[in-house]
Amino acid sequence: MRTVFLTLLLLPAMALAAFAGSFEGLTPGESTRGDVYRTLGQPTKIEDNGLQCWFDAAPFQGKSLTVTFHPSGIMERLQVEPAQAHSKNEYAAWLGLKKKPSRVLVENGFRYSLYDGQGAALAQKPPADDAPVVFFVYYWIAQDGEKERLLALYNQFKDAHARKDCDAMRTAWQAGQKEFPMVAQFYLDQIREAATCRKLAPPDSEALLLAADTAVFLNPDDESYRMQGHIYSSVADNPAKALDAFSQVDLARNPDINVFLGACHQKLGHAQKARSHFEAYLATYPNGEYADMAKAGLKQLR
């Protein structure tokens, strides 16, 4: 859902290519996590289970640059604090905003002018109409209950999966991919349905590899990389590709991934690295779900 190219407005003293509701071609409600990472680079800090990310603002002549993601991986909000403050009227002219905001809020020492129709907000401090704009925000204005429909399809699949209702699972992920083709979750659900109903049978291999790669392209987060690693390991029998995927998963947040890293290294003949990962898994989960797998791996390495 990358936005169609529009004429970019250059802000004085700022290397910002922006128009109302979009920054560097990134648009809330349309751009994916993958779009954001490919445009802004890797985050410098991540919080809230990956839903809030900070990026290097220096290339854009800014002090800070923050992106908030919807759980679907779609960009929900982008906030930029420029290196140099300018007036509200200057921003309104540069960004093509309406002269009169839809709403004005005063909160926590800031005055917020919101332009809901354009998904943009200007923050001034101190909270006065003639105060400089200290940061601006682009946000997702959802239309026609799209967030509610997205959640409904999530829950439809989740409920069907709990019941192991294969037909209902298939209906849910297919509807999700059709209505929300840029949401990674429905490609992961395609894999979950295949794993539950057909045990990742060989006829599914090509479709599942495509689904896993698509999920990572759209939303390169721990869940997507984890699933991609499993598909390359179990379906494609490609330990090198699986290792590449598992290596992208944050070990601090997912220490159980050590057992899969160990298995990949073992298949690739990297005995020392395999042993290290198996031992790390057992140190964290001595009686964990994959403890037997880690112990068997260590035994084979002796």
Side-chain angles (χ1 to χ4, degrees), residues 8 29 38 66 99 126 131 139 166 172 177 180 198 228-229 232 252-253 259 262 272 295:
L8 302 178
R38 285 185 287 275
T66 310
K99 290 185 178 180
Y139 52 94
C166 296
Q177 288 185 13
F180 300 96
R198 294 179 297 284
Q228 186 186 46
Y232 271 103
R253 294 196 297 265
V259 74
Q272 186 174 349
K295 290 175 183 176

Side-chain angles (χ1 to χ4, degrees), residues 7 9-10 20 22 69 79 86 90 92 114 142 146 195-196 199 207 218 235 247-248 284 297:
T7 302
L9 305 175
L10 299 179
S22 181
F69 293 98
Q79 178 175 310
H86 296 277
E90 286 176 308
L114 292 91
E146 59 185 343
T196 302
K199 305 301 180 185
L218 295 174
V235 175
S247 296
Q248 298 300 318
T284 308

Side-chain angles (χ1 to χ4, degrees), residues 44 62 65 81 98 109 161 183 200 211 247 279:
T44 57
L65 176 53
E81 180 185 5
K98 297 176 181 177
H161 189 260
V183 173
L200 301 179
S247 296
E279 290 174 346

Side-chain angles (χ1 to χ4, degrees), residues 33 48-52 68-76 140 147 150-151 154 182-186 188 219 221 223-224:
R33 183 187 299 273
D48 195 17
N49 291 320
L51 296 184
Q52 190 163 19
T68 302
F69 293 98
H70 185 265
S72 64
I74 299 296
M75 185 174 78
E76 192 155 33
W140 182 4
K147 287 185 182 180
L150 181 59
L151 179 61
Y154 271 25
M182 303 303 280
V183 173
Q185 185 70 39
F186 299 116
L188 299 181
N219 191 31
D221 67 351
E223 184 182 17
S224 294

Side-chain angles (χ1 to χ4, degrees), residues 94-108:
W94 294 331
L95 303 182
L97 300 174
K98 297 176 181 177
K99 290 185 178 180
K100 186 176 181 180
S102 310
R103 297 177 287 153
V104 174
L105 303 174
V106 175
E107 188 176 87
N108 298 325

Side-chain angles (χ1 to χ4, degrees), residues 16-57:
L16 299 178
F19 50 90
S22 181
F23 176 84
E24 290 291 316
L26 300 172
T27 304
E30 295 185 8
S31 299
T32 67
R33 183 187 299 273
D35 291 331
V36 172
Y37 286 9
R38 285 185 287 275
T39 302
L40 304 180
Q42 289 296 308
T44 57
K45 184 171 75 168
I46 297 177
E47 289 186 355
D48 195 17
N49 291 320
L51 296 184
Q52 190 163 19
C53 298
W54 283 257
F55 297 87
D56 182 9

